[in-house]
Amino acid sequence: GTGGAAGTAPETVIYAGSNWYGHAPVWAGIETGIFERAGFAVEARAFGGSTDRVTALEADAAQFASLGEVAMLAAMSEGRDGFYWIGNQDIAPGAEGLVGIGIDSIQGLRGKKIAVNLNSSVHITLYELLAGAGLDIHTDVELLKATDSAVVDLVRAGEAQAGIIWEPFYSDLRALPGAVVLGTDEDTSIYRRFKTMTGPDMVCASKSWVDADLDRARRFFHAYFRAVEWCRDHPGELQGIIGARVGKEPAEIEPVLRNFRWLGLADQRVVMSDAMLFGQAQVASEILRDMRLIERVPDFRRWTLPDLLTD
């Protein structure tokens, strides 16, 4: 389709996301008409966890997605090449954490059950926090697999003595009776080295969709990063857009957004370099290999399209 030409209907593009605040540029791009003006009708859909979003891109069930770096690197390590890594829309450290109930130290987790979203950033964060306290994630604790609000439910029900998750669920975890924050992603070696989350948000796209029309993809991702810049420039309005999507009050959203650094088009050159995400992805891959979550460190640059975002 030639969306954007006078008189033609906008082209539908499906986005795979969730309720995490890192998806806000898509919500903002829809609300403010940024996508529409570029010739696209974007539909935001929830696709389970990040691993499900990779699969959606490979099947062209969604044309683009934001997903956690861990799922992306895992797919790359398996040689799955049905998607591209386009860029990174935000860095938001401090928005995921490990919370214990009536436990006041990480050492106190020995022999306990921890609810965790496996194969995601919180899995690496947990590994790093435990290792820093001399605990082995494989032998010293028991992991209970859960996603999003289910992490909170397991801890609330007493089935897990601790949980680790990101916003908006991290706030819910901290609100439980007896909750103690035992550490966040800012207490990891990855944060100390790169000042990023352990598994930052990655913008990825369906390879078949991009390859079918590179000019369309270029026009689309220029519009997307304009929406990212809108988020950076309109923090007050953004709280309202996020609140309407996730059912939280602006007062709850504002402190989380304070940690967000929105990364626009001009930032991508630095972001997608050895100084930042390429260096960080190398270290994260090595940790994932040590955790036995992947077998080999992928040559992730093969999934990138450095010229797509240049004018």
Side-chain angles (χ1 to χ4, degrees):
T2 54
T8 59
E11 180 174 351
T12 300
V13 179
I14 295 167
Y15 173 76
S18 73
N19 266 1
W20 161 243
Y21 299 169
H23 302 294
V26 166
W27 308 333
I30 293 168
E31 297 287 328
T32 61
I34 288 171
F35 291 127
E36 207 177 335
R37 287 191 292 278
F40 300 98
V42 173
E43 202 180 299
R45 291 188 193 165
F47 278 82
S50 291
T51 310
D52 304 310
R53 283 172 235 152
V54 176
T55 308
L57 294 178
E58 291 170 321
D60 208 17
Q63 286 71 56
F64 81 121
S66 170
L67 47 98
E69 179 188 43
V70 175
M72 181 188 83
L73 292 172
M76 289 172 173
S77 76
E78 292 166 9
R80 290 159 58 183
D81 56 7
F83 66 97
Y84 287 119
W85 175 15
I86 304 295
N88 161 236
Q89 78 272 33
D90 70 80
I91 300 281
E96 65 179 38
L98 174 63
V99 175
I101 302 297
I103 292 167
D104 56 9
S105 72
I106 292 176
Q107 283 86 352
L109 292 172
R110 188 183 295 276
K112 301 285 196 287
K113 292 178 177 169
I114 305 171
V116 58
N117 199 322
L118 299 179
N119 305 312
S120 72
S121 60
V122 288
H123 200 164
I124 297 192
T125 298
L126 180 61
Y127 172 83
E128 287 246 283
L129 292 174
L130 292 171
L135 297 187
D136 184 311
I137 198 170
H138 300 294
T139 57
D140 290 329
V141 295
E142 186 185 336
L143 304 187
L144 299 185
K145 180 185 179 182
T147 56
D148 297 353
S149 58
V151 170
V152 185
D153 296 338
L154 284 172
V155 177
R156 185 187 286 116
E159 291 176 47
Q161 288 76 56
I164 182 165
I165 195 61
W166 44 73
E167 292 292 0
F169 314 103
Y170 177 41
S171 288
D172 300 336
L173 208 49
R174 283 178 300 174
L176 296 176
V180 179
V181 175
L182 301 175
T184 73
D185 55 350
E186 290 183 327
D187 301 312
T188 63
S189 67
I190 287 180
Y191 178 77
R192 285 192 289 276
R193 273 186 71 175
F194 300 102
K195 294 289 179 274
T196 68
M197 306 124 95
T198 47
D201 294 334
M202 301 303 176
V203 182
C204 294
S206 156
K207 184 176 190 296
S208 60
W209 184 76
V210 171
D211 288 352
D213 188 340
L214 269 172
D215 286 334
R216 171 185 66 184
R218 181 172 284 117
R219 193 171 78 246
F220 180 79
F221 283 108
H222 274 73
Y224 172 80
F225 282 104
R226 276 200 296 282
V228 176
E229 289 154 11
W230 185 94
C231 292
R232 180 193 66 203
D233 298 339
H234 300 82
E237 286 173 78
L238 182 61
Q239 287 172 35
I241 288 175
I242 293 176
R245 282 273 173 175
V246 306
K248 288 215 180 274
E249 291 302 316
E252 292 178 86
I253 295 164
E254 193 270 333
V256 179
L257 284 186
R258 236 179 286 154
N259 289 341
F260 267 75
R261 194 170 131 225
W262 297 107
L263 302 164
L265 196 62
D267 299 309
Q268 298 306 308
R269 238 174 224 300
V270 177
V271 169
M272 300 287 279
S273 75
D274 291 332
M276 201 170 162
L277 281 189
F278 290 170
Q280 191 272 350
Q282 180 69 30
V283 170
S285 296
E286 288 162 9
I287 292 174
L288 289 170
R289 188 184 57 198
D290 294 344
M291 290 173 72
R292 309 199 276 273
L293 294 179
I294 65 174
E295 282 180 30
R296 65 187 71 81
V297 172
D299 177 12
F300 41 80
R301 286 171 190 76
R302 286 204 304 116
W303 278 260
T304 65
L305 286 171
D307 299 334
L308 190 72
L309 299 179
T310 55
D311 284 313

